[in-house]
């Protein structure tokens, strides 16, 4: 995939809101601070002039943000969930927003769920993966910040996360926004996901 043009095209701030257009979408979910916005910047090669906001303060992304790639599709940055330091009311409102988006008319073709490779998957990760399964949304799992994990530990990490979350090892991508590791593999997996759902659409 050659990325010629990327543009922020809009956000959904409230449950029931619609996507800013009709292109197919791939959404990125994960706990706050897992590296979603960094991953999007890396995928889009926007690491110098960032397009998705990155912050060491978790809870930076509060809306469902749409980034258009070429004339082809949207990458969608979701608010991080499960972040304990924002109030329960805010956490609940983000969850409602995410659920409304994923189950509504503007739903994406698939979701890339991110887990920080330095930490064990949390209950909120299990909940999300189960929820995506219940919606029948194709899901890829990305282990972020893999630059922090030694080569020796990678295979056991994959096995552990696979068992923890019930996701096949083949659906997992090891990724680092620091080194760019996994960028091509993830782009290809996203492309496959968009093409797969195109075929379903054509089948009617
Ligand atoms: P919210 O918007 O709060 O939900 O966070 P997010 O998931 O978008 O995370 P963000 O991309 O803002 O990154 C959070 C922190 O992790 C920042 O300090 C990043 O610099 C750091 N980070 C992100 N990706 C990587 C990575 O691949 N490797 C390392 N070492 N650090 C990373
Ligand atoms: Mg973010």
């Amino acid at each position: 995939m050659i990325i010629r043009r990327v543009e922020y095209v809009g956000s959904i701030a409230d449950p029931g809101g619609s996507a800013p257009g009709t292109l197919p979408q791939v959404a990125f979910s994960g706990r706050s601070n897992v590296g979603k916005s960094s991953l999007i910047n890396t995928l889009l090669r926007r690491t110098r002039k960032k397009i998705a906001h990155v912050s060491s303060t978790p809870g930076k992304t509060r809306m469902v943000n749409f980034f258009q790639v070429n004339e082809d599709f949207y990458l969608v940055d979701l608010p991080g969930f499960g972040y304990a330091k924002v109030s329960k009311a805010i956490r609940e409102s983000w969850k409602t927003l995410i659920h409304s988006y994923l189950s509504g008319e503007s739903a994406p073709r698939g979701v890339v769920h991110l887990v920080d490779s330095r930490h064990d998957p949390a209950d909120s990760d299990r909940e999300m993966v189960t929820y995506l399964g219940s919606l029948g949304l194709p899901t890829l799992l990305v282990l972020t910040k893999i630059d922090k994990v030694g080569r020796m530990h990678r295979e056991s990490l994959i096995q552990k996360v696979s068992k923890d979350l019930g996701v096949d090892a083949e659906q997992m991508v090891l990724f680092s926004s620091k080194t760019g590791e996994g960028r091509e593999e993830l782009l290809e997996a996203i492309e496959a996901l968009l093409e797969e759902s195109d075929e379903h659409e054509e089948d009617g």
Side-chain angles (χ1 to χ4, degrees):
M1 183 187 314
I2 297 168
I3 294 174
R4 285 173 281 102
R5 213 172 72 134
V6 182
E7 197 185 351
Y8 165 76
V9 287
S11 302
I12 299 177
D14 300 296
S18 344
T22 54
L23 294 176
Q25 309 157 32
V26 176
F28 294 79
S29 69
R31 301 178 79 197
S32 212
N33 211 43
V34 68
K36 289 180 302 299
S37 301
S38 301
L39 176 141
I40 290 176
N41 288 319
T42 299
L43 273 184
L44 302 178
R45 293 210 190 283
R46 291 292 292 260
T47 46
R48 232 174 316 161
K49 189 166 177 294
K50 293 180 174 44
I51 187 158
H53 294 294
V54 174
S55 163
S56 51
T57 318
K60 182 83 181 169
T61 307
R62 289 151 189 253
M63 294 188 283
V64 177
N65 295 319
F66 290 74
F67 300 96
Q68 182 175 331
V69 179
N70 303 335
E71 306 304 318
D72 302 333
F73 63 95
Y74 304 126
L75 292 185
V76 183
D77 192 9
L78 298 175
F81 57 78
Y83 178 52
K85 285 184 190 163
V86 298
S87 72
K88 187 155 187 257
I90 292 178
R91 263 183 289 155
E92 283 303 312
S93 77
W94 289 352
K95 189 169 171 180
T96 307
L97 178 63
I98 292 170
H99 282 202
S100 143
Y101 162 65
L102 291 176
S103 63
E105 279 176 19
S106 296
R109 298 259 176 113
V111 175
V112 181
H113 184 73
L114 279 60
V115 174
D116 191 325
S117 33
R118 299 170 305 173
H119 307 300
D120 288 340
D123 287 341
S124 57
D125 292 309
R126 275 180 286 277
E127 255 174 54
M128 188 65 179
V129 170
T130 307
Y131 180 65
L132 293 171
S134 76
L135 292 175
L137 278 175
T139 304
L140 294 167
L141 199 94
V142 168
L143 294 175
T144 63
K145 309 189 187 182
I146 199 69
D147 53 282
K148 299 282 191 189
V149 178
R151 303 247 160 215
M152 301 277 288
H153 299 289
R154 294 187 178 193
E155 192 49 42
S156 60
L157 176 70
I158 291 172
Q159 295 310 324
K160 187 182 179 308
V161 175
S162 169
K163 207 170 145 210
D164 248 22
L165 295 179
V167 173
D168 285 350
E170 298 85 73
Q171 279 170 268
M172 270 184 225
V173 177
L174 306 182
F175 194 93
S176 167
S177 296
K178 271 229 163 104
T179 65
E181 178 176 348
R183 180 180 179 274
E184 284 302 320
E185 189 186 348
L186 183 58
L187 276 176
E188 275 169 30
I190 290 171
E191 215 168 0
L193 206 153
L194 288 165
E195 278 165 16
E196 216 173 277
S197 43
D198 268 343
E199 283 162 22
H200 284 296
E201 299 259 300
E202 280 156 24
D203 289 345

